[in-house]
PDB file of all heavy atoms in Angstrom:
ATOM      1  N   PHE A   1     -23.917  47.113 -29.197  1.00  0.00           N
ATOM      2  CA  PHE A   1     -24.930  47.003 -30.253  1.00  0.00           C
ATOM      3  C   PHE A   1     -25.529  45.598 -30.285  1.00  0.00           C
ATOM      4  O   PHE A   1     -26.749  45.430 -30.422  1.00  0.00           O
ATOM      5  CB  PHE A   1     -24.291  47.339 -31.604  1.00  0.00           C
ATOM      6  CG  PHE A   1     -25.192  47.085 -32.784  1.00  0.00           C
ATOM      7  CD1 PHE A   1     -26.301  47.883 -33.024  1.00  0.00           C
ATOM      8  CD2 PHE A   1     -24.926  46.035 -33.665  1.00  0.00           C
ATOM      9  CE1 PHE A   1     -27.137  47.652 -34.112  1.00  0.00           C
ATOM     10  CE2 PHE A   1     -25.753  45.797 -34.755  1.00  0.00           C
ATOM     11  CZ  PHE A   1     -26.860  46.603 -34.970  1.00  0.00           C
ATOM     12  N   HIS A   2     -24.693  44.579 -30.114  1.00  0.00           N
ATOM     13  CA  HIS A   2     -25.197  43.204 -30.121  1.00  0.00           C
ATOM     14  C   HIS A   2     -26.091  42.947 -28.907  1.00  0.00           C
ATOM     15  O   HIS A   2     -27.106  42.238 -29.019  1.00  0.00           O
ATOM     16  CB  HIS A   2     -24.031  42.211 -30.139  1.00  0.00           C
ATOM     17  CG  HIS A   2     -23.372  42.094 -31.479  1.00  0.00           C
ATOM     18  ND1 HIS A   2     -24.037  41.667 -32.607  1.00  0.00           N
ATOM     19  CD2 HIS A   2     -22.103  42.352 -31.878  1.00  0.00           C
ATOM     20  CE1 HIS A   2     -23.210  41.660 -33.632  1.00  0.00           C
ATOM     21  NE2 HIS A   2     -22.030  42.083 -33.220  1.00  0.00           N
ATOM     22  N   TYR A   3     -25.719  43.499 -27.781  1.00  0.00           N
ATOM     23  CA  TYR A   3     -26.563  43.337 -26.587  1.00  0.00           C
ATOM     24  C   TYR A   3     -27.919  43.995 -26.822  1.00  0.00           C
ATOM     25  O   TYR A   3     -28.975  43.430 -26.491  1.00  0.00           O
ATOM     26  CB  TYR A   3     -25.887  43.947 -25.361  1.00  0.00           C
ATOM     27  CG  TYR A   3     -26.750  43.875 -24.119  1.00  0.00           C
ATOM     28  CD1 TYR A   3     -26.881  42.690 -23.407  1.00  0.00           C
ATOM     29  CD2 TYR A   3     -27.450  45.001 -23.669  1.00  0.00           C
ATOM     30  CE1 TYR A   3     -27.680  42.613 -22.278  1.00  0.00           C
ATOM     31  CE2 TYR A   3     -28.263  44.938 -22.547  1.00  0.00           C
ATOM     32  CZ  TYR A   3     -28.374  43.739 -21.862  1.00  0.00           C
ATOM     33  OH  TYR A   3     -29.180  43.674 -20.749  1.00  0.00           O
ATOM     34  N   PHE A   4     -27.918  45.180 -27.421  1.00  0.00           N
ATOM     35  CA  PHE A   4     -29.159  45.884 -27.735  1.00  0.00           C
ATOM     36  C   PHE A   4     -30.016  45.043 -28.683  1.00  0.00           C
ATOM     37  O   PHE A   4     -31.241  44.949 -28.522  1.00  0.00           O
ATOM     38  CB  PHE A   4     -28.830  47.236 -28.366  1.00  0.00           C
ATOM     39  CG  PHE A   4     -30.019  47.930 -28.975  1.00  0.00           C
ATOM     40  CD1 PHE A   4     -30.981  48.543 -28.184  1.00  0.00           C
ATOM     41  CD2 PHE A   4     -30.174  47.969 -30.357  1.00  0.00           C
ATOM     42  CE1 PHE A   4     -32.079  49.168 -28.755  1.00  0.00           C
ATOM     43  CE2 PHE A   4     -31.267  48.593 -30.935  1.00  0.00           C
ATOM     44  CZ  PHE A   4     -32.224  49.195 -30.131  1.00  0.00           C
ATOM     45  N   CYS A   5     -29.388  44.423 -29.668  1.00  0.00           N
ATOM     46  CA  CYS A   5     -30.135  43.601 -30.630  1.00  0.00           C
ATOM     47  C   CYS A   5     -30.732  42.373 -29.967  1.00  0.00           C
ATOM     48  O   CYS A   5     -31.857  41.955 -30.299  1.00  0.00           O
ATOM     49  CB  CYS A   5     -29.224  43.179 -31.779  1.00  0.00           C
ATOM     50  SG  CYS A   5     -28.779  44.540 -32.896  1.00  0.00           S
ATOM     51  N   ARG A   6     -30.016  41.781 -29.031  1.00  0.00           N
ATOM     52  CA  ARG A   6     -30.560  40.617 -28.328  1.00  0.00           C
ATOM     53  C   ARG A   6     -31.848  40.983 -27.596  1.00  0.00           C
ATOM     54  O   ARG A   6     -32.805  40.200 -27.556  1.00  0.00           O
ATOM     55  CB  ARG A   6     -29.531  40.073 -27.332  1.00  0.00           C
ATOM     56  CG  ARG A   6     -28.417  39.259 -27.969  1.00  0.00           C
ATOM     57  CD  ARG A   6     -27.380  38.867 -26.922  1.00  0.00           C
ATOM     58  NE  ARG A   6     -26.310  38.093 -27.525  1.00  0.00           N
ATOM     59  CZ  ARG A   6     -26.183  36.772 -27.425  1.00  0.00           C
ATOM     60  NH1 ARG A   6     -27.083  36.077 -26.756  1.00  0.00           N
ATOM     61  NH2 ARG A   6     -25.170  36.143 -27.984  1.00  0.00           N
ATOM     62  N   VAL A   7     -31.862  42.171 -27.024  1.00  0.00           N
ATOM     63  CA  VAL A   7     -33.069  42.631 -26.322  1.00  0.00           C
ATOM     64  C   VAL A   7     -34.166  42.965 -27.335  1.00  0.00           C
ATOM     65  O   VAL A   7     -35.327  42.577 -27.160  1.00  0.00           O
ATOM     66  CB  VAL A   7     -32.748  43.860 -25.447  1.00  0.00           C
ATOM     67  CG1 VAL A   7     -34.025  44.425 -24.822  1.00  0.00           C
ATOM     68  CG2 VAL A   7     -31.738  43.494 -24.368  1.00  0.00           C
ATOM     69  N   ARG A   8     -33.814  43.654 -28.413  1.00  0.00           N
ATOM     70  CA  ARG A   8     -34.802  44.085 -29.411  1.00  0.00           C
ATOM     71  C   ARG A   8     -35.513  42.896 -30.045  1.00  0.00           C
ATOM     72  O   ARG A   8     -36.730  42.940 -30.271  1.00  0.00           O
ATOM     73  CB  ARG A   8     -34.106  44.914 -30.498  1.00  0.00           C
ATOM     74  CG  ARG A   8     -34.978  45.126 -31.728  1.00  0.00           C
ATOM     75  CD  ARG A   8     -34.231  45.859 -32.834  1.00  0.00           C
ATOM     76  NE  ARG A   8     -34.306  47.311 -32.657  1.00  0.00           N
ATOM     77  CZ  ARG A   8     -33.840  48.184 -33.551  1.00  0.00           C
ATOM     78  NH1 ARG A   8     -33.243  47.745 -34.657  1.00  0.00           N
ATOM     79  NH2 ARG A   8     -33.945  49.477 -33.330  1.00  0.00           N
ATOM     80  N   PHE A   9     -34.784  41.820 -30.318  1.00  0.00           N
ATOM     81  CA  PHE A   9     -35.372  40.704 -31.050  1.00  0.00           C
ATOM     82  C   PHE A   9     -35.770  39.532 -30.150  1.00  0.00           C
ATOM     83  O   PHE A   9     -35.955  38.421 -30.627  1.00  0.00           O
ATOM     84  CB  PHE A   9     -34.409  40.228 -32.140  1.00  0.00           C
ATOM     85  CG  PHE A   9     -34.147  41.272 -33.190  1.00  0.00           C
ATOM     86  CD1 PHE A   9     -32.917  41.897 -33.279  1.00  0.00           C
ATOM     87  CD2 PHE A   9     -35.155  41.659 -34.063  1.00  0.00           C
ATOM     88  CE1 PHE A   9     -32.674  42.869 -34.237  1.00  0.00           C
ATOM     89  CE2 PHE A   9     -34.929  42.634 -35.026  1.00  0.00           C
ATOM     90  CZ  PHE A   9     -33.683  43.245 -35.103  1.00  0.00           C
ATOM     91  N   SER A  10     -35.909  39.802 -28.871  1.00  0.00           N
ATOM     92  CA  SER A  10     -36.377  38.756 -27.950  1.00  0.00           C
ATOM     93  C   SER A  10     -37.901  38.778 -27.888  1.00  0.00           C
ATOM     94  O   SER A  10     -38.488  39.376 -26.997  1.00  0.00           O
ATOM     95  CB  SER A  10     -35.786  38.964 -26.549  1.00  0.00           C
ATOM     96  OG  SER A  10     -36.154  40.238 -26.042  1.00  0.00           O
ATOM     97  N   GLU A  11     -38.526  38.140 -28.870  1.00  0.00           N
ATOM     98  CA  GLU A  11     -39.987  38.075 -28.959  1.00  0.00           C
ATOM     99  C   GLU A  11     -40.506  37.004 -28.005  1.00  0.00           C
ATOM    100  O   GLU A  11     -40.583  35.825 -28.331  1.00  0.00           O
ATOM    101  CB  GLU A  11     -40.400  37.770 -30.411  1.00  0.00           C
ATOM    102  CG  GLU A  11     -40.178  38.918 -31.365  1.00  0.00           C
ATOM    103  CD  GLU A  11     -41.175  40.049 -31.156  1.00  0.00           C
ATOM    104  OE1 GLU A  11     -42.206  39.807 -30.509  1.00  0.00           O
ATOM    105  OE2 GLU A  11     -40.901  41.156 -31.638  1.00  0.00           O
ATOM    106  N   ARG A  12     -40.918  37.428 -26.809  1.00  0.00           N
ATOM    107  CA  ARG A  12     -41.291  36.467 -25.762  1.00  0.00           C
ATOM    108  C   ARG A  12     -42.662  35.837 -25.991  1.00  0.00           C
ATOM    109  O   ARG A  12     -42.980  34.816 -25.399  1.00  0.00           O
ATOM    110  CB  ARG A  12     -41.247  37.143 -24.393  1.00  0.00           C
ATOM    111  CG  ARG A  12     -39.833  37.563 -23.995  1.00  0.00           C
ATOM    112  CD  ARG A  12     -39.813  38.248 -22.644  1.00  0.00           C
ATOM    113  NE  ARG A  12     -38.459  38.587 -22.245  1.00  0.00           N
ATOM    114  CZ  ARG A  12     -37.819  39.682 -22.606  1.00  0.00           C
ATOM    115  NH1 ARG A  12     -38.420  40.551 -23.402  1.00  0.00           N
ATOM    116  NH2 ARG A  12     -36.592  39.912 -22.205  1.00  0.00           N
ATOM    117  N   HIS A  13     -43.499  36.452 -26.832  1.00  0.00           N
ATOM    118  CA  HIS A  13     -44.823  35.872 -27.048  1.00  0.00           C
ATOM    119  C   HIS A  13     -44.791  34.721 -28.053  1.00  0.00           C
ATOM    120  O   HIS A  13     -45.784  34.010 -28.235  1.00  0.00           O
ATOM    121  CB  HIS A  13     -45.805  36.947 -27.540  1.00  0.00           C
ATOM    122  CG  HIS A  13     -45.561  37.416 -28.937  1.00  0.00           C
ATOM    123  ND1 HIS A  13     -44.522  38.256 -29.277  1.00  0.00           N
ATOM    124  CD2 HIS A  13     -46.203  37.119 -30.105  1.00  0.00           C
ATOM    125  CE1 HIS A  13     -44.557  38.485 -30.572  1.00  0.00           C
ATOM    126  NE2 HIS A  13     -45.557  37.807 -31.105  1.00  0.00           N
ATOM    127  N   LEU A  14     -43.636  34.540 -28.711  1.00  0.00           N
ATOM    128  CA  LEU A  14     -43.479  33.423 -29.633  1.00  0.00           C
ATOM    129  C   LEU A  14     -42.774  32.261 -28.930  1.00  0.00           C
ATOM    130  O   LEU A  14     -41.809  32.458 -28.201  1.00  0.00           O
ATOM    131  CB  LEU A  14     -42.652  33.839 -30.854  1.00  0.00           C
ATOM    132  CG  LEU A  14     -43.285  34.875 -31.792  1.00  0.00           C
ATOM    133  CD1 LEU A  14     -42.290  35.285 -32.864  1.00  0.00           C
ATOM    134  CD2 LEU A  14     -44.557  34.337 -32.430  1.00  0.00           C
ATOM    135  N   LYS A  15     -43.262  31.070 -29.165  1.00  0.00           N
ATOM    136  CA  LYS A  15     -42.675  29.873 -28.568  1.00  0.00           C
ATOM    137  C   LYS A  15     -41.894  29.119 -29.633  1.00  0.00           C
ATOM    138  O   LYS A  15     -42.395  28.885 -30.730  1.00  0.00           O
ATOM    139  CB  LYS A  15     -43.781  28.981 -27.996  1.00  0.00           C
ATOM    140  CG  LYS A  15     -43.277  27.689 -27.372  1.00  0.00           C
ATOM    141  CD  LYS A  15     -44.443  26.833 -26.892  1.00  0.00           C
ATOM    142  CE  LYS A  15     -43.946  25.516 -26.311  1.00  0.00           C
ATOM    143  NZ  LYS A  15     -45.078  24.647 -25.886  1.00  0.00           N
ATOM    144  N   THR A  16     -40.664  28.762 -29.327  1.00  0.00           N
ATOM    145  CA  THR A  16     -39.847  27.989 -30.263  1.00  0.00           C
ATOM    146  C   THR A  16     -39.519  26.631 -29.644  1.00  0.00           C
ATOM    147  O   THR A  16     -39.146  26.551 -28.467  1.00  0.00           O
ATOM    148  CB  THR A  16     -38.534  28.725 -30.606  1.00  0.00           C
ATOM    149  OG1 THR A  16     -37.787  28.959 -29.411  1.00  0.00           O
ATOM    150  CG2 THR A  16     -38.830  30.048 -31.278  1.00  0.00           C
ATOM    151  N   GLU A  17     -39.666  25.595 -30.440  1.00  0.00           N
ATOM    152  CA  GLU A  17     -39.391  24.236 -29.983  1.00  0.00           C
ATOM    153  C   GLU A  17     -38.451  23.547 -30.958  1.00  0.00           C
ATOM    154  O   GLU A  17     -38.670  23.591 -32.171  1.00  0.00           O
ATOM    155  CB  GLU A  17     -40.685  23.423 -29.895  1.00  0.00           C
ATOM    156  CG  GLU A  17     -41.746  23.993 -28.977  1.00  0.00           C
ATOM    157  CD  GLU A  17     -43.047  23.223 -29.102  1.00  0.00           C
ATOM    158  OE1 GLU A  17     -43.106  22.059 -28.640  1.00  0.00           O
ATOM    159  OE2 GLU A  17     -44.009  23.774 -29.674  1.00  0.00           O
ATOM    160  N   PHE A  18     -37.416  22.907 -30.423  1.00  0.00           N
ATOM    161  CA  PHE A  18     -36.538  22.093 -31.251  1.00  0.00           C
ATOM    162  C   PHE A  18     -37.271  20.798 -31.590  1.00  0.00           C
ATOM    163  O   PHE A  18     -37.802  20.136 -30.698  1.00  0.00           O
ATOM    164  CB  PHE A  18     -35.228  21.785 -30.531  1.00  0.00           C
ATOM    165  CG  PHE A  18     -34.309  22.966 -30.423  1.00  0.00           C
ATOM    166  CD1 PHE A  18     -34.420  23.850 -29.353  1.00  0.00           C
ATOM    167  CD2 PHE A  18     -33.344  23.202 -31.390  1.00  0.00           C
ATOM    168  CE1 PHE A  18     -33.583  24.947 -29.254  1.00  0.00           C
ATOM    169  CE2 PHE A  18     -32.504  24.298 -31.297  1.00  0.00           C
ATOM    170  CZ  PHE A  18     -32.621  25.174 -30.225  1.00  0.00           C
ATOM    171  N   VAL A  19     -37.301  20.464 -32.857  1.00  0.00           N
ATOM    172  CA  VAL A  19     -38.052  19.300 -33.320  1.00  0.00           C
ATOM    173  C   VAL A  19     -37.092  18.132 -33.529  1.00  0.00           C
ATOM    174  O   VAL A  19     -36.205  18.192 -34.386  1.00  0.00           O
ATOM    175  CB  VAL A  19     -38.801  19.607 -34.635  1.00  0.00           C
ATOM    176  CG1 VAL A  19     -39.537  18.364 -35.122  1.00  0.00           C
ATOM    177  CG2 VAL A  19     -39.767  20.766 -34.425  1.00  0.00           C
ATOM    178  N   SER A  20     -37.258  17.079 -32.748  1.00  0.00           N
ATOM    179  CA  SER A  20     -36.432  15.878 -32.907  1.00  0.00           C
ATOM    180  C   SER A  20     -37.111  14.851 -33.793  1.00  0.00           C
ATOM    181  O   SER A  20     -36.458  14.119 -34.527  1.00  0.00           O
ATOM    182  CB  SER A  20     -36.114  15.260 -31.534  1.00  0.00           C
ATOM    183  OG  SER A  20     -37.313  14.965 -30.836  1.00  0.00           O
ATOM    184  N   LYS A  21     -38.435  14.803 -33.723  1.00  0.00           N
ATOM    185  CA  LYS A  21     -39.206  13.907 -34.583  1.00  0.00           C
ATOM    186  C   LYS A  21     -40.407  14.670 -35.118  1.00  0.00           C
ATOM    187  O   LYS A  21     -41.134  15.299 -34.357  1.00  0.00           O
ATOM    188  CB  LYS A  21     -39.667  12.668 -33.810  1.00  0.00           C
ATOM    189  CG  LYS A  21     -40.378  11.649 -34.695  1.00  0.00           C
ATOM    190  CD  LYS A  21     -40.621  10.364 -33.960  1.00  0.00           C
ATOM    191  CE  LYS A  21     -41.370   9.345 -34.827  1.00  0.00           C
ATOM    192  NZ  LYS A  21     -40.653   9.025 -36.064  1.00  0.00           N
ATOM    193  N   MET A  22     -40.610  14.618 -36.419  1.00  0.00           N
ATOM    194  CA  MET A  22     -41.654  15.405 -37.057  1.00  0.00           C
ATOM    195  C   MET A  22     -42.972  14.638 -37.088  1.00  0.00           C
ATOM    196  O   MET A  22     -43.107  13.645 -37.805  1.00  0.00           O
ATOM    197  CB  MET A  22     -41.216  15.809 -38.468  1.00  0.00           C
ATOM    198  CG  MET A  22     -39.946  16.638 -38.448  1.00  0.00           C
ATOM    199  SD  MET A  22     -39.485  17.281 -40.054  1.00  0.00           S
ATOM    200  CE  MET A  22     -37.801  17.808 -39.700  1.00  0.00           C
ATOM    201  N   GLU A  23     -43.912  15.092 -36.275  1.00  0.00           N
ATOM    202  CA  GLU A  23     -45.200  14.424 -36.156  1.00  0.00           C
ATOM    203  C   GLU A  23     -46.131  14.832 -37.298  1.00  0.00           C
ATOM    204  O   GLU A  23     -45.796  15.648 -38.150  1.00  0.00           O
ATOM    205  CB  GLU A  23     -45.828  14.760 -34.789  1.00  0.00           C
ATOM    206  CG  GLU A  23     -44.941  14.434 -33.598  1.00  0.00           C
ATOM    207  CD  GLU A  23     -44.716  12.940 -33.415  1.00  0.00           C
ATOM    208  OE1 GLU A  23     -45.435  12.147 -34.069  1.00  0.00           O
ATOM    209  OE2 GLU A  23     -43.830  12.555 -32.628  1.00  0.00           O
ATOM    210  N   LEU A  24     -47.344  14.250 -37.263  1.00  0.00           N
ATOM    211  CA  LEU A  24     -48.334  14.471 -38.315  1.00  0.00           C
ATOM    212  C   LEU A  24     -48.653  15.948 -38.489  1.00  0.00           C
ATOM    213  O   LEU A  24     -48.811  16.429 -39.617  1.00  0.00           O
ATOM    214  CB  LEU A  24     -49.614  13.688 -37.998  1.00  0.00           C
ATOM    215  CG  LEU A  24     -50.768  13.852 -39.008  1.00  0.00           C
ATOM    216  CD1 LEU A  24     -50.352  13.363 -40.388  1.00  0.00           C
ATOM    217  CD2 LEU A  24     -51.998  13.095 -38.505  1.00  0.00           C
ATOM    218  N   GLU A  25     -48.736  16.704 -37.383  1.00  0.00           N
ATOM    219  CA  GLU A  25     -49.081  18.127 -37.479  1.00  0.00           C
ATOM    220  C   GLU A  25     -48.076  18.882 -38.335  1.00  0.00           C
ATOM    221  O   GLU A  25     -48.445  19.699 -39.187  1.00  0.00           O
ATOM    222  CB  GLU A  25     -49.129  18.754 -36.083  1.00  0.00           C
ATOM    223  CG  GLU A  25     -49.444  20.242 -36.102  1.00  0.00           C
ATOM    224  CD  GLU A  25     -48.952  20.978 -34.868  1.00  0.00           C
ATOM    225  OE1 GLU A  25     -48.516  20.318 -33.909  1.00  0.00           O
ATOM    226  OE2 GLU A  25     -48.981  22.222 -34.888  1.00  0.00           O
ATOM    227  N   LEU A  26     -46.771  18.603 -38.125  1.00  0.00           N
ATOM    228  CA  LEU A  26     -45.745  19.288 -38.911  1.00  0.00           C
ATOM    229  C   LEU A  26     -45.775  18.825 -40.360  1.00  0.00           C
ATOM    230  O   LEU A  26     -45.544  19.629 -41.273  1.00  0.00           O
ATOM    231  CB  LEU A  26     -44.359  19.042 -38.311  1.00  0.00           C
ATOM    232  CG  LEU A  26     -44.038  19.753 -37.004  1.00  0.00           C
ATOM    233  CD1 LEU A  26     -42.565  19.606 -36.675  1.00  0.00           C
ATOM    234  CD2 LEU A  26     -44.411  21.215 -37.057  1.00  0.00           C
ATOM    235  N   HIS A  27     -46.052  17.561 -40.571  1.00  0.00           N
ATOM    236  CA  HIS A  27     -46.180  17.060 -41.945  1.00  0.00           C
ATOM    237  C   HIS A  27     -47.273  17.818 -42.685  1.00  0.00           C
ATOM    238  O   HIS A  27     -47.078  18.269 -43.821  1.00  0.00           O
ATOM    239  CB  HIS A  27     -46.500  15.567 -41.924  1.00  0.00           C
ATOM    240  CG  HIS A  27     -46.879  15.020 -43.270  1.00  0.00           C
ATOM    241  ND1 HIS A  27     -45.955  14.796 -44.274  1.00  0.00           N
ATOM    242  CD2 HIS A  27     -48.095  14.680 -43.783  1.00  0.00           C
ATOM    243  CE1 HIS A  27     -46.583  14.340 -45.347  1.00  0.00           C
ATOM    244  NE2 HIS A  27     -47.877  14.256 -45.081  1.00  0.00           N
ATOM    245  N   GLN A  28     -48.414  18.001 -42.047  1.00  0.00           N
ATOM    246  CA  GLN A  28     -49.529  18.716 -42.667  1.00  0.00           C
ATOM    247  C   GLN A  28     -49.186  20.183 -42.877  1.00  0.00           C
ATOM    248  O   GLN A  28     -49.535  20.765 -43.920  1.00  0.00           O
ATOM    249  CB  GLN A  28     -50.786  18.564 -41.800  1.00  0.00           C
ATOM    250  CG  GLN A  28     -51.307  17.141 -41.738  1.00  0.00           C
ATOM    251  CD  GLN A  28     -52.446  16.967 -40.746  1.00  0.00           C
ATOM    252  OE1 GLN A  28     -52.592  17.742 -39.794  1.00  0.00           O
ATOM    253  NE2 GLN A  28     -53.256  15.936 -40.961  1.00  0.00           N
ATOM    254  N   PHE A  29     -48.511  20.795 -41.899  1.00  0.00           N
ATOM    255  CA  PHE A  29     -48.147  22.208 -42.015  1.00  0.00           C
ATOM    256  C   PHE A  29     -47.189  22.419 -43.185  1.00  0.00           C
ATOM    257  O   PHE A  29     -47.372  23.327 -44.007  1.00  0.00           O
ATOM    258  CB  PHE A  29     -47.507  22.696 -40.711  1.00  0.00           C
ATOM    259  CG  PHE A  29     -47.232  24.177 -40.690  1.00  0.00           C
ATOM    260  CD1 PHE A  29     -48.189  25.076 -40.264  1.00  0.00           C
ATOM    261  CD2 PHE A  29     -45.997  24.673 -41.105  1.00  0.00           C
ATOM    262  CE1 PHE A  29     -47.941  26.448 -40.250  1.00  0.00           C
ATOM    263  CE2 PHE A  29     -45.730  26.031 -41.102  1.00  0.00           C
ATOM    264  CZ  PHE A  29     -46.709  26.918 -40.663  1.00  0.00           C
ATOM    265  N   ILE A  30     -46.152  21.588 -43.278  1.00  0.00           N
ATOM    266  CA  ILE A  30     -45.166  21.720 -44.356  1.00  0.00           C
ATOM    267  C   ILE A  30     -45.809  21.459 -45.709  1.00  0.00           C
ATOM    268  O   ILE A  30     -45.567  22.183 -46.682  1.00  0.00           O
ATOM    269  CB  ILE A  30     -43.980  20.762 -44.107  1.00  0.00           C
ATOM    270  CG1 ILE A  30     -43.162  21.274 -42.911  1.00  0.00           C
ATOM    271  CG2 ILE A  30     -43.099  20.642 -45.352  1.00  0.00           C
ATOM    272  CD1 ILE A  30     -42.091  20.309 -42.447  1.00  0.00           C
ATOM    273  N   THR A  31     -46.667  20.438 -45.789  1.00  0.00           N
ATOM    274  CA  THR A  31     -47.340  20.119 -47.042  1.00  0.00           C
ATOM    275  C   THR A  31     -48.215  21.273 -47.522  1.00  0.00           C
ATOM    276  O   THR A  31     -48.233  21.614 -48.715  1.00  0.00           O
ATOM    277  CB  THR A  31     -48.203  18.850 -46.888  1.00  0.00           C
ATOM    278  OG1 THR A  31     -47.354  17.759 -46.525  1.00  0.00           O
ATOM    279  CG2 THR A  31     -48.934  18.530 -48.191  1.00  0.00           C
ATOM    280  N   SER A  32     -48.917  21.914 -46.591  1.00  0.00           N
ATOM    281  CA  SER A  32     -49.823  23.004 -46.968  1.00  0.00           C
ATOM    282  C   SER A  32     -49.091  24.289 -47.323  1.00  0.00           C
ATOM    283  O   SER A  32     -49.684  25.190 -47.916  1.00  0.00           O
ATOM    284  CB  SER A  32     -50.813  23.276 -45.824  1.00  0.00           C
ATOM    285  OG  SER A  32     -50.135  23.760 -44.676  1.00  0.00           O
ATOM    286  N   HIS A  33     -47.806  24.387 -46.972  1.00  0.00           N
ATOM    287  CA  HIS A  33     -47.044  25.605 -47.249  1.00  0.00           C
ATOM    288  C   HIS A  33     -45.923  25.369 -48.272  1.00  0.00           C
ATOM    289  O   HIS A  33     -44.943  26.119 -48.311  1.00  0.00           O
ATOM    290  CB  HIS A  33     -46.448  26.166 -45.958  1.00  0.00           C
ATOM    291  CG  HIS A  33     -47.464  26.724 -45.017  1.00  0.00           C
ATOM    292  ND1 HIS A  33     -48.198  25.929 -44.160  1.00  0.00           N
ATOM    293  CD2 HIS A  33     -47.893  28.000 -44.815  1.00  0.00           C
ATOM    294  CE1 HIS A  33     -49.023  26.688 -43.450  1.00  0.00           C
ATOM    295  NE2 HIS A  33     -48.859  27.942 -43.828  1.00  0.00           N
ATOM    296  N   SER A  34     -46.083  24.347 -49.112  1.00  0.00           N
ATOM    297  CA  SER A  34     -45.046  24.059 -50.116  1.00  0.00           C
ATOM    298  C   SER A  34     -45.649  23.743 -51.483  1.00  0.00           C
ATOM    299  O   SER A  34     -45.001  23.116 -52.318  1.00  0.00           O
ATOM    300  CB  SER A  34     -44.189  22.875 -49.650  1.00  0.00           C
ATOM    301  OG  SER A  34     -44.980  21.716 -49.450  1.00  0.00           O
TER     302      SER A  34
END
């Protein structure tokens, strides 16, 4: 079941990035959504 879920929720069209330093773009995004 877990293997099936890993396949089901592998949304390849979405890009995920680990953020080490929050640049101006993220500051603006967070500000506009809070």
Side-chain angles (χ1 to χ4, degrees):
F1 172 70
H2 284 299
Y3 177 78
F4 169 75
C5 289
R6 283 175 180 257
V7 174
R8 167 184 274 186
F9 296 110
S10 59
E11 289 288 343
R12 294 179 177 85
H13 71 285
L14 294 174
K15 179 183 178 182
T16 59
E17 302 172 71
F18 288 87
V19 178
S20 57
K21 185 171 178 58
M22 300 186 193
E23 305 293 348
L24 179 61
E25 178 204 351
L26 288 190
H27 170 74
Q28 294 173 336
F29 186 88
I30 289 172
T31 300
S32 65
H33 291 82
S34 59

